[in-house]
Amino acid sequence: MKSSQYDGLTNPDNMDRKRWRGLQRLIALCQKTAKTIRQHLYGIINAIVLKANKGIAESINAKIQKVKAMACGFRNRERFRNAIYFHLGELDLYPRSAIPNALPT
């Protein structure tokens, strides 16, 4: 694309074969890009209208990657899953009966 930046402005009658092939490749690339945009357009519009983003999912994924790095590998998937639940589950690790002065009044 870098070498074809002025091919779209050149008169086709004045182009040699090499430049003409470059222009045809550029046109094909633009058509492919337009097709991709057209396929995803409704999803993009819905995300904008609904103000949806992947911030929460990315945050959770970053925390999972941190757990994975801290452990330096797990023996099996079950232990990895348990570590994720343990670190990201926001569970109360102490039962109420184990906490002093937590007796019902």
Side-chain angles (χ1 to χ4, degrees):
M1 284 191 56
K2 185 173 113 179
S3 63
S4 64
Q5 58 189 355
Y6 295 110
D7 288 348
L9 302 173
T10 306
N11 185 351
D13 296 333
N14 298 336
M15 284 187 186
D16 58 353
R17 288 180 189 248
K18 182 179 177 183
R19 285 191 178 254
W20 183 251
R21 277 189 242 120
L23 181 61
Q24 287 176 330
R25 276 191 238 117
L26 182 64
I27 290 169
L29 181 65
C30 289
Q31 288 173 342
K32 184 177 179 182
T33 304
K35 182 180 176 185
T36 303
I37 290 172
R38 205 175 314 122
Q39 287 174 344
H40 299 287
L41 184 62
Y42 291 112
I44 293 169
I45 291 172
N46 283 336
I48 292 169
V49 170
L50 298 174
K51 297 180 181 173
N53 63 36
K54 299 186 299 184
I56 294 171
E58 293 294 335
S59 172
I60 292 170
N61 187 38
K63 291 175 184 177
I64 291 172
Q65 294 304 320
K66 186 176 178 183
V67 168
K68 185 177 177 182
M70 286 186 326
C72 298
F74 290 92
R75 290 183 184 211
N76 56 38
R77 289 180 187 255
E78 184 180 348
R79 290 186 181 187
F80 182 45
R81 189 178 305 121
N82 289 339
I84 292 170
Y85 289 148
F86 180 78
H87 290 283
L88 303 179
E90 298 178 7
L91 301 174
D92 186 10
L93 299 178
Y94 299 103
R96 288 208 173 268
S97 61
I99 300 173
N101 299 326
L103 298 173
T105 55

